[in-house]
């Protein structure tokens, strides 16, 4: 700071001297009022005052916060980057994604080996269902109100097999029979696989050629975590002919189409 003051003082003294010499060289100096006359003492006094003022201004300015001007950007300023626009999926892409999700469900042809009334639940049947595995699966279905027990014995059905097991009044249910139902849910019946299907046949949505590109079914934990069934189920229906569909994608096995015997334009669950 002392060095700065010395530099400023020297500069001001030079300017003050030049100013005094210019005044003294004026031809009318003697005719000027006394207030415009400058002695060496006056010049020195003015010089000291200017030095003190300059030093004080310098100190005040050093203590001022740094302010970004309109001409210079702040050092940490970052030019705004516009976010990429989110891609809006077309109707066809949405339907294709739902189809892919549906084909990650392990839906198979099954055959009911044996069925009986649940001992602790009046609305439930317990079924042993052959789905092409080493042992039949135990599945509980709320069909007592809708389907006579004798019609279930030996029936071919469609089973959603990669759900996590659920405890149904003391019986562990390892799957679900897919059924059609009307809007009032007064009529319910199991979906029927096409003739020629055998237990364990894969059920998928789409064309016959899609069978070759079918992915492996997702494990039950992923089906539950990703809510795959919840995403697919509202889009399942039967058409006016009773054919089961996902939107416009037919539900089929390698032997033909999955249908409902009597329920047309019905929900599937």
């Amino acid at each position: 700071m002392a060095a700065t003051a010395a530099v400023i003082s020297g500069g001001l003294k030079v300017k003050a001297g030049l100013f005094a010499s210019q005044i003294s060289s004026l031809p009318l100096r003697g005719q000027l009022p006394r207030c415009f006359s400058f002695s060496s003492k006056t010049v020195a006094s003015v010089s000291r005052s200017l030095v003190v003022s300059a030093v004080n201004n310098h100190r005040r300015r050093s203590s001022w916060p740094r302010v970004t001007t309109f001409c210079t950007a702040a050092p940490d300023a970052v030019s705004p980057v516009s976010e990429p626009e989110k891609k809006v999926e077309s109707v066809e892409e949405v339907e294709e994604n739902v189809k892919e999700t549906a084909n990650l469900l392990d839906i198979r042809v099954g055959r009911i080996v044996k069925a009986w009334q649940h001992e602790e639940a009046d609305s439930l049947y317990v079924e042993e269902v052959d789905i092409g595995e080493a042992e039949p699966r135990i599945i509980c279905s709320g069909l007592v109100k809708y389907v006579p027990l004798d019609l279930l014995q030996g029936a071919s059905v469609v089973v959603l097999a990669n759900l996590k097991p659920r405890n149904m009044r003391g019986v562990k249910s390892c799957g679900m029979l897919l059924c059609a139902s009307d809007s009032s849910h007064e009529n319910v019946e199991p979906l029927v696989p096409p003739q020629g299907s055998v237990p364990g046949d894969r059920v998928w949505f789409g064309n016959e050629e899609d069978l070759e590109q079918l992915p492996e079914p997702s494990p039950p934990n992923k089906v539950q975590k990703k809510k795959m069934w919840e995403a697919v189920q509202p889009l399942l229906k039967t058409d006016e002919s009773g054919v089961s569909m996902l939107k416009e994608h037919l539900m089929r096995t390698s032997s033909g189409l999955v249908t409902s015997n009597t329920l047309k334009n019905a929900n599937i669950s």
Side-chain angles (χ1 to χ4, degrees):
M1 184 62 71
T4 303
V7 172
I8 295 172
S9 176
L12 291 173
K13 284 180 179 180
V14 171
K15 291 182 178 181
L18 292 174
F19 179 72
S21 64
Q22 291 173 358
I23 292 296
S24 62
S25 64
L26 291 174
L28 300 178
R29 181 173 182 272
Q31 302 175 13
L32 291 173
R34 292 189 62 182
C35 61
F36 285 96
S37 63
F38 293 88
S39 66
S40 60
K41 291 183 180 180
T42 302
V43 171
S45 176
V46 171
S47 175
R48 284 194 298 271
S49 298
L50 291 173
V51 169
V52 171
S53 177
V55 171
N56 288 336
N57 287 339
H58 180 76
R59 288 175 178 172
R60 286 196 296 269
R61 288 171 181 170
S62 298
S63 64
W64 291 351
R66 294 179 63 89
V67 179
T68 302
T69 68
F70 290 103
C71 300
T72 306
D76 57 347
V78 179
S79 298
V81 179
S82 58
E83 296 183 358
E85 294 184 2
K86 294 183 178 179
K87 181 181 178 182
V88 178
E89 294 182 330
S90 65
V91 175
E92 292 78 9
E93 288 174 325
V94 171
E95 290 185 0
E96 188 65 23
N97 290 339
V98 172
K99 175 186 171 185
E100 291 176 2
T101 299
N103 283 333
L104 290 171
L105 297 174
D106 189 8
I107 305 177
R108 305 190 206 176
V109 173
R111 184 178 67 85
I112 297 177
V113 177
K114 181 181 178 182
W116 63 94
Q117 176 82 44
H118 194 298
E119 294 180 357
E120 298 183 9
D122 294 339
S123 62
L124 296 179
Y125 288 135
V126 182
E127 303 108 5
E128 290 183 0
V129 186
D130 177 11
I131 60 170
E133 297 175 332
E135 298 290 335
R137 288 207 185 190
I138 298 296
I139 296 176
C140 295
S141 302
L143 295 174
V144 172
K145 179 181 175 182
Y146 308 105
V147 182
L149 183 58
D150 61 314
L151 293 182
L152 287 180
Q153 307 294 347
S156 291
V157 291
V158 176
V159 177
L160 176 55
N162 58 343
L163 296 176
K164 291 188 73 172
R166 294 180 58 192
N167 193 312
M168 307 285 283
R169 296 288 188 91
V171 177
K172 183 180 287 188
S173 179
C174 300
M176 181 171 68
L177 302 188
L178 295 186
C179 299
S181 62
D182 58 20
S183 57
S184 63
H185 208 73
E186 293 181 358
N187 297 287
V188 179
E189 62 185 28
L191 295 182
V192 180
Q195 289 187 354
S197 298
V198 297
D201 280 355
R202 184 85 180 266
V203 177
W204 76 92
F205 300 90
N207 301 318
E208 294 180 6
E209 295 78 13
D210 291 336
L211 176 60
E212 298 178 0
Q213 287 81 36
L214 281 182
E216 288 295 318
S218 293
N221 285 340
K222 187 173 182 179
V223 172
Q224 181 179 27
K225 183 178 180 180
K226 299 292 185 179
K227 299 185 181 299
M228 293 182 179
W229 173 241
E230 290 80 357
V232 170
Q233 187 274 322
L235 303 177
L236 295 172
K237 63 180 182 179
T238 63
D239 65 9
E240 62 277 4
S241 301
V243 174
S244 301
M245 309 179 72
L246 171 73
K247 297 288 285 183
E248 306 302 323
H249 305 292
L250 298 172
M251 187 176 189
R252 63 171 67 244
T253 75
S254 55
S255 299
L257 302 178
V258 175
T259 60
S260 171
N261 279 334
T262 64
L263 296 178
K264 322 299 182 186
N265 298 312
N267 302 316
I268 295 176
S269 60

